[in-house]
Each structure stands twice: as C-alpha cells, then as structure tokens.
Amino acid sequence: MDVFGVFAQFWPELLSGVGITIKLAGLGAIIAGFLAPLLALVRVNGGPAAQVPLRFYISFMRGTPLLAQMFLIYYGSGQFRPFLQDIGLWNFFREPFNCALLAFVMNSTAYQTEILRGGIMGVPHGEIEAGKAVGMSYVMSLRRVVYPHAYRIAWPALGNEIILLIKASALASVVTVFDLMGQTRAIFQKTFDFSVYIWAAVLYLCLTAAFVWIWRRFEHRLSPHIHGKRPSLLGAMTKRETA
Amino acid sequence: MAEAVVLKAEDICKSFGSLEVLKGITLEARNHDVISILGSSGSGKSTFLRCLNMLDPPTSGKVSVHGEEIVVKNGHPADMRQVERARQRLGMVFQQFNLWTHRTAIENVMEGPIHVLKQPKAEVKERAEALLVRVGLAERMNMYPSQLSGGQQQRVAIARALCMEPDAILFDEPTSALDPELVGEVLRVMQSLAAEGRTMIVVTHEMSFARDVSTEVVFMHKGKIAEQGPPKEMFGSPKTEVFQKFIADVR
Amino acid sequence: MLELFSFGEAGWGDQLLQGLLVTIQLALTALPVGLLLGFAAAGASLSPYRWLRAIGTGYTTIMRGLPELLTLFVVYNGLGLLLNSIVSSWNPDARVELSSFVAGVIALGLVFGAFAGEVLRGAFQSLNKGQMEAGKAVGMRPTQVFFRIMLPQVWRFALPGLGNLWINLLKDTALVSVIALDDLMRMTQVAVRSTKQPFTFFLAACLIYWALCVISEIVLARLEKRANRGVRRA
C-alpha cells in the first residue's frame, strides 16, 4: 500500500473519472428534473388512461435493480440493431455512456416524479383557490403557486435523490464507462494497490459533501422564510422510499 | 398497637446538577396509611415519589421497604436486583398513565405478574379480569390503550399496579393529565382502594381527596416538608403561612 | 420464444431459477448480518460514551455516502488481500480466496447496517420514556424492559424504514454478479451470451426482480398492519 504514491501517479485518471461522474450524475439529474414535474402533474391530476401506464412505469423502475435496467438498455438494444440502424439511433445506443445516462434518467425520473407528487399534494388547497380568486389561469397558478410551493416542500428529498444518483453513477463502470469507479477499478487491476479504493472513497465523499453544500445554498434562496429540514451529510443519505 | 412500617424514607436529598430539588425529606408509611403529598409545582413532590422506588435514586438519604434498606452509592443503587425486588412490592401509577401501547388493557395488567413475578398465567388472568371489572372496565379488557379515554387508561394503570399485589402504591398526580369530567371516575377508584385499607402515597392537587380520604397530609415547599399532620388539623387550622396561602390559592 | 425459458436442456428456465435461489439466499443471509450491524450502530450512536458515538456515526455516515459498488470492491479485494497477508505470514505457500458469496454478504450487510442504524436510532429515540419507566416500576430487569417493551415498539416504528431497506437490499444483490457470483443477474448474462437475445433475457430478469419486490411489498404491508395493532391511525 502506497497511499500517496498512487495518487501522485494516477491523479489525472482519477480526476478525469470525477469529471465523468459529475457529467453522468449531473446530466441525469437535470434531464430527469425536466421530465419529473410534468409527470408528477399527471400523477396528481391525470385521468386513468395516463395514470395506469405511469404507475406501472414508476413501479417497474423502483422495483428492479438499476444495473438490470442499464443492461436492458445497453445490451438489450443490440437485439434491435438493424431496426435502430434504420432509424438512425444505433450510434446513440452504441455508446455505453449514453446508455448509462439513459438508464439513470429513466430511473431518476421515476423517483423524482414520486417526490414531486408528494410536494404538489402538500400544497395547501387554499393557496390554489386564492390563485383562482385573483383570476389566475390554470397554467399561471401552476407556475406562480403550485410549483414554487411544491419544490420548497420536496427540495430536501430531491437532494437525497440526487445524492443517490451520484452514488448510483458508479454502476456505469460495469458497462466500461471510465467514471471515477471505472478509473479506480482500472488502476487497481494495474497496480493491485488497495489504496486507490481509499482515494475513490474520499473523492465520492467529497463529491456528495460539495453537492450538499450547493443544494443548501439553493434552498436558502428558495425559501428564506422556512428553516425546515435540509439535506445534510448526516441526514441526507437516506435510502430511497420504495413504498 | 401501631401498624407495621411498610416504607420509610430518611433525610432524602436529591440534586439535578447544581439544582437542589429535595433538601432532606423524612417520611414513614405504615400499613393502611393513605398519605397525600401536596405542594405547588416545583416543590419536589413528584421527585420525592420517584426516589421511593428509585426511578430517580436519591443523592443522599435512606429508603427502606419493610425495614430493608435500598443501598445507594454515589447516586446509583448498588444492587439493581434489590431495587427490582422493592419495585415489585411498590406499585406505581403515573401522571401520563404510561400504558404499554402495544398491549391490550388486560395484557398491560397481566404483564408484570406473569413476566416479573413468574406467576402462572391462568391464575393471573383470573385476577386481572376481576380487577378490570372492579375498576369498571369489564367491557374494554381487550382494547388497546389508544382506544381508551384518559380516565379509562388511568383505571387500567391502577389495575396494573394492583395486579402485582403490592404492599403500597405510589400515585404520581394520577388525575392531573385528565379532562375535568374524567377526574371523578379515577378518584372514586382510589377512594375505594383507601376504604379497603390499601397503603397509598399520593402526590396530588385534589384537595377533596387529601381532606376526605387520606389519613395523613404532607405539604411540601421548596424541597422540604413545610407542614404535616392529619387532614382535619391541617385543613382546620393550618399552622404555616405557606400552607395557608396554598389552600387559599387553590380555592 | 417461450421455449427459451423452458426447463431442461432446451431452455434457460432452470439456470434462471438457480440464479434466483442464489439471489434470495444472498439477500436472506445479508439481512440478519445487516440488522445486527444496524442495532450495533444504533446502540453506539445513542451511547453515553463519546468514542462509541463517534464510531457509530462515522460508520453510518461514511458507509451511506459511498457507492454500494465501491463498498463491494473494497470488501472483495481489500478483505481478500488482508486475509492473504495474514495467512501467508503463517504459511508462505498458503492462499485463501474470499468467496464472492461471502464478500457479497459482508458488503450488503455493511450497507444495510449503516442505513438500518439510522432507521433504528430514530425508532429508539421516538420511544415513549414513560412506558419504559412503567416497566421498571413493576420491577422488570433492564433486559425485560428492552425485550418486552422497547423492542416490540421499535419494531413498529422501524418497520416501514426497514422494509424499504429490504427492497433495496434485494435490488443491490444484482451488484454481486459483478464479482462473479452466479446469482439471477449473472445467470441471465450467461443465457444472453449463448442465445444472443439480450433484451428478452434482461427483461425477464427485470420482471423477476420486480415480482420479488412486489411480493415483498405485500408481505411488508401485512407485517405493518400486524405491528400497528392497537395504534390509532390519523
């Protein structure tokens, strides 16, 4: 074990891995973050024709291992290669990074949708009525009343979800993406020096700590009037709610 | 001939950190005594009661049950087995009832005799049923505490204490957490216990109980016993100014 | 298509079933290990001793911040290296190998324990102190207070959280396929390699995991209902 030697020798690889991890988790969270509020609205207000498939989708995403979902997309797409080539999507699915990202987006969308659904349902009915009373349109009341309040409620839980996504992004290494985990495994296979794992652990903890810090900053902006529960390094890393 | 001494407390002091709550309390309970302890909040009366069964061990002083001293060293009981034996002989009824929420009324009553005293279940069950009937809960034996009113819960708690067949029962403000209309049903049960000669030490705010039911009244003030005596004397001609004021305020 | 999943020579039904059994075995073995660690972590983080609290919170905080896959590799490779260096100091020619099942049990148990520690700590903290005093007041021993009053109620408070952890544990078992344990995930990969039908088989694997989770949820809902006997719901 040569703790500092390993870092001195391999820091460029490790840092590039950190970059890929941030890119994977960041893009995944952001894209899912665009989809979730729309789907959450469907979960709250949608008719059965939209509800039933959406609930199946969410249950499937939450009831199956992310690794299996990733394999389904990455390897599974190979079964439809001629078709995908015909419609010009094969270049997308050929890239392990894209497949991992797609899996993370689909998975995180399911979780974020449920979190936001809780947020929307937590908005007091009176506030929505007050919006109507001043003559707001439906869309406007969503934009000015429902979503701002729902996000304040859901913010800590969304933060937890993104921390989970940062951790889950390590799975991409299994389909040969050289994120932090992928680089770590490659370095270990070269050197058999255990200390590279220690560096990986430290870097992952730094990533989540930095994220928690940023997330809290946003929360202050979002709701200067509430001092509610915030994600903290201690409290944030709760497991996902499955029920 | 005087009755046997069941419980004796000598010069009990208790401090929480630098806060001196009890400053030397001496009290003796003989068989069939019903002692009411009065005092304004903060006088230390509940703490004193909790010293008697070592839920809060005294900082100094002696507690003995049937002449057996419970040894306390440095604020901790020296022998927990001894404390447990003493507790088996002293029932306790709490202000907040403290029924075990995961057990039904009758299970609450049977728990101690079966698992602490190791008595046979059938025998205990019979006794528990009789006790619940006695406190007026024949219909509610199999309900959980959350399905009972405060007054009903407190009556279950009394049955729970009785089922241990204790030598004395400690009551810690048993009616203070109850809605006014539920106080009567609990007091009636306590009165009937007094009538059958149970030894009771009752920390209470109920003046009528202290005056009409108890055999002795103790008035505590700032961690000390300010006045003590038979209820007739105490209420008829209060000697100390603090007690006079206390009675006047309550009225 | 159905014959792909038939049993016997023609299909992959029995291989998948074997893998499923390994998956269930792994999860059921890691569960008690994790629960034990969880109780230990909760006890440590609630202890009056500062150093024990530091160990408890350190374990739960760090372990919950690390990717499960990293934990698995740390256990598999790290513990393997450690065992070998211990053994070879006794006998230079001896080699031991940490089986992937054992590594999986330890890693998943460690992860489960860290999260369960937090769940249980919360549950112990939400216990009603008066009910424990009532136990003492009838002369119960501390162990009796723990087993007869605290534990049944901790169970009730902790069950929803522990249920979620169990479902996460079930899903996390798939990770152990990466260190070559023949669980459901890896048997699926074997089938894929020889049939060249990746989508079909990975979808089948997903459906099996899904079924496990749905069944677990049903059982957990029953357990919760039982544990909540006598508790008024809002």
Side-chain angles (χ1 to χ4, degrees):
Chain A
M1 286 240 306
D2 177 10
V3 176
F4 292 100
V6 163
F7 193 74
Q9 193 182 350
F10 292 104
W11 66 268
E13 282 90 343
L14 286 172
L15 286 192
S16 96
V18 169
I20 302 281
T21 292
I22 293 174
K23 210 165 125 189
L24 259 179
L27 275 176
I30 289 168
I31 299 171
F34 276 109
L35 298 172
L38 303 174
L39 293 177
L41 203 59
V42 176
R43 277 291 276 120
V44 177
N45 291 330
Q51 285 269 1
V52 172
L54 185 55
R55 287 176 76 154
F56 260 90
Y57 168 73
I58 291 170
S59 169
F60 181 84
M61 284 294 154
R62 305 211 297 182
T64 55
L66 184 51
L67 186 69
Q69 295 165 11
M70 208 172 62
F71 282 178
L72 186 63
I73 293 171
Y74 180 62
Y75 296 114
S77 59
Q79 199 168 330
F80 307 106
R81 183 171 170 178
F83 171 71
L84 289 169
Q85 276 170 330
D86 281 351
I87 59 170
L89 278 178
W90 179 242
N91 280 334
F92 177 88
F93 284 100
R94 221 173 42 182
E95 281 299 320
F97 179 91
N98 293 343
C99 290
L101 180 60
L102 182 59
F104 297 158
V105 166
M106 292 179 70
N107 186 273
S108 195
T109 299
Y111 282 96
Q112 289 192 27
T113 298
E114 279 307 278
I115 292 169
L116 273 178
R117 182 181 76 104
I120 292 175
M121 302 219 314
V123 178
H125 192 63
E127 288 190 20
I128 301 169
E129 284 195 331
K132 281 184 195 158
V134 297
M136 284 187 184
S137 69
Y138 176 66
V139 175
M140 190 175 191
S141 80
L142 284 181
R143 209 159 48 89
R144 306 285 318 161
V145 180
V146 175
Y147 279 128
H149 200 146
Y151 270 97
R152 262 173 232 161
I153 296 172
W155 198 252
L158 283 175
N160 291 346
E161 168 54 26
I162 295 171
I163 290 173
L164 291 167
L165 194 58
I166 296 173
K167 293 184 358 173
S169 70
L171 289 178
S173 69
V174 180
V175 291
T176 70
V177 174
F178 282 96
D179 69 330
L180 177 52
M181 190 71 218
Q183 294 286 6
T184 304
R185 289 172 64 186
I187 296 167
F188 182 78
Q189 262 145 32
K190 261 183 261 174
T191 60
F192 285 97
D193 189 326
F194 181 73
S195 46
V196 67
Y197 284 123
I198 296 172
W199 284 109
V202 169
L203 289 169
Y204 271 111
L205 290 176
C206 287
L207 269 178
T208 42
F211 169 77
V212 167
W213 187 78
I214 295 169
W215 201 249
R216 274 198 212 169
R217 281 274 134 145
F218 270 109
E219 192 188 20
H220 271 290
R221 288 259 181 93
L222 204 61
S223 47
H225 61 293
I226 326 177
H227 295 279
K229 277 189 185 167
R230 307 192 188 103
S232 69
L233 249 193
L234 272 171
M237 288 161 263
T238 44
K239 274 272 180 179
R240 280 162 158 167
E241 291 290 319
T242 317
Chain B
M1 200 186 100
E3 293 283 355
V5 176
V6 180
L7 187 59
K8 192 170 175 184
E10 289 167 84
D11 200 22
I12 299 294
C13 295
K14 175 74 185 176
S15 309
F16 292 101
S18 59
L19 183 72
E20 242 188 313
V21 182
L22 298 178
K23 300 168 187 164
I25 308 270
T26 298
L27 188 71
E28 206 176 72
R30 291 169 182 274
N31 238 337
H32 313 310
D33 276 357
V34 178
I35 302 177
S36 288
I37 303 179
L38 302 174
S40 47
S41 60
S43 60
K45 53 195 192 307
S46 281
T47 306
F48 173 65
L49 201 71
R50 294 166 58 86
C51 281
L52 294 178
N53 67 352
M54 299 285 147
L55 283 180
D56 285 328
T59 317
S60 68
K62 274 205 301 199
V63 175
S64 19
V65 179
H66 280 301
E68 183 185 341
E69 186 192 333
I70 301 174
V71 187
V72 178
K73 276 193 186 132
N74 307 325
H76 292 286
D79 177 5
M80 277 315 288
R81 298 272 173 173
Q82 187 195 27
V83 172
E84 283 150 17
R85 277 200 309 278
R87 285 172 177 165
Q88 290 164 21
R89 308 173 75 168
L90 301 173
M92 181 154 189
V93 175
F94 297 86
Q95 182 178 354
Q96 298 291 343
F97 334 132
N98 294 348
L99 291 185
W100 298 307
T101 46
H102 59 301
R103 306 215 186 278
T104 61
I106 192 157
E107 283 169 354
N108 263 278
V109 177
M110 289 161 57
E111 177 77 18
I114 292 179
H115 293 280
V116 177
L117 301 178
K118 314 281 183 203
Q119 293 172 348
K121 195 175 166 188
E123 185 187 300
V124 172
K125 186 156 190 264
E126 213 169 284
R127 204 164 71 224
E129 281 168 352
L131 283 167
L132 283 169
V133 169
R134 175 176 169 185
V135 298
L137 292 171
E139 312 294 318
R140 296 192 155 51
M141 289 187 193
N142 293 310
M143 288 191 173
Y144 284 95
S146 63
Q147 298 166 307
L148 301 174
S149 74
Q152 292 165 341
Q153 289 190 53
Q154 194 61 300
R155 284 182 281 151
V156 174
I158 293 172
R160 176 171 73 180
L162 288 174
C163 205
M164 293 291 287
E165 301 181 314
D167 300 331
I169 308 178
L170 314 174
F171 290 83
D172 185 8
E173 303 197 30
T175 56
S176 298
L178 296 177
D179 292 335
E181 69 271 20
L182 302 176
V183 169
E185 60 189 61
V186 172
L187 284 182
R188 271 194 296 281
V189 171
M190 289 170 61
Q191 203 167 351
S192 76
L193 295 179
E196 69 180 35
R198 298 263 178 191
T199 312
M200 297 158 69
I201 300 179
V202 187
V203 168
T204 186
H205 290 291
E206 292 295 327
M207 289 302 173
S208 59
F209 182 87
R211 192 180 47 229
D212 305 334
V213 181
S214 51
T215 57
E216 186 179 354
V217 175
V218 171
F219 175 68
M220 280 180 64
H221 185 67
K222 292 187 174 165
K224 285 183 176 160
I225 294 181
E227 198 169 336
Q228 184 176 9
K232 261 186 201 147
E233 273 175 35
M234 290 275 289
F235 287 94
S237 51
K239 289 194 258 320
T240 58
E241 214 168 289
V242 274
F243 189 51
Q244 278 167 10
K245 190 170 178 306
F246 180 77
I247 313 178
D249 283 352
V250 171
R251 290 205 182 109
Chain C
M1 170 122 150
L2 265 183
E3 73 224 27
L4 279 176
F5 297 102
S6 66
F7 291 83
E9 285 295 305
W12 292 87
D14 27 8
Q15 281 87 343
L16 293 189
L17 187 67
Q18 262 173 26
L20 174 63
L21 289 181
V22 172
T23 289
I24 293 174
Q25 226 173 41
L26 179 61
L28 286 180
T29 321
L31 178 68
V33 175
L35 273 177
L36 226 62
L37 282 169
F39 271 106
S45 55
L46 290 172
S47 106
Y49 304 106
R50 186 193 281 259
W51 61 274
L52 253 180
R53 279 204 305 274
I55 292 176
T57 40
Y59 161 59
T60 55
T61 307
I62 291 173
M63 195 52 83
R64 288 182 307 150
L66 296 180
E68 288 79 356
L69 193 61
L70 180 63
T71 305
L72 183 65
F73 279 115
V74 166
V75 169
Y76 187 55
N77 295 325
L79 215 56
L81 286 175
L82 190 71
L83 277 179
N84 266 319
S85 69
I86 291 170
V87 169
S88 58
S89 70
W90 286 67
N91 176 356
D93 298 324
R95 279 280 168 278
V96 283
E97 193 149 350
L98 190 64
S99 87
S100 45
F101 186 86
V102 174
V105 166
I106 295 174
L108 294 177
L110 279 169
V111 171
F112 187 98
F115 285 94
E118 286 300 287
V119 170
L120 290 169
R121 186 173 61 93
F124 275 108
Q125 280 173 331
S126 52
L127 285 180
N128 175 308
K129 236 183 110 207
Q131 293 185 34
M132 296 180 238
E133 283 196 340
K136 285 191 212 164
V138 297
M140 283 189 184
R141 311 229 58 219
T143 49
Q144 282 178 313
V145 173
F146 181 80
F147 282 106
R148 300 205 53 83
I149 297 169
M150 294 171 75
L151 211 53
Q153 303 204 33
V154 161
W155 176 237
R156 177 163 65 80
F157 289 130
L159 194 56
L162 292 179
N164 275 328
L165 294 183
W166 160 253
I167 286 172
N168 283 308
L169 172 63
L170 265 180
K171 294 191 288 176
D172 283 347
T173 55
L175 296 179
V176 185
S177 68
V178 178
I179 54 170
L181 179 72
D182 288 331
D183 71 330
L184 174 58
M185 200 69 230
R186 192 168 149 86
M187 292 316 269
T188 309
Q189 286 168 280
V190 171
V192 163
R193 223 161 282 144
S194 77
T195 59
K196 308 289 178 217
Q197 302 238 26
F199 190 84
T200 314
F201 274 96
F202 284 123
L203 184 64
C206 279
L207 292 176
I208 297 173
Y209 280 111
W210 195 14
L212 280 183
C213 288
V214 170
I215 293 169
S216 298
E217 274 169 22
I218 294 170
V219 172
L220 284 166
R222 290 245 175 110
L223 282 177
E224 272 177 50
K225 215 173 151 190
R226 245 182 71 90
N228 278 327
R229 277 171 315 169
V231 181
R232 189 179 290 160
R233 250 151 297 177

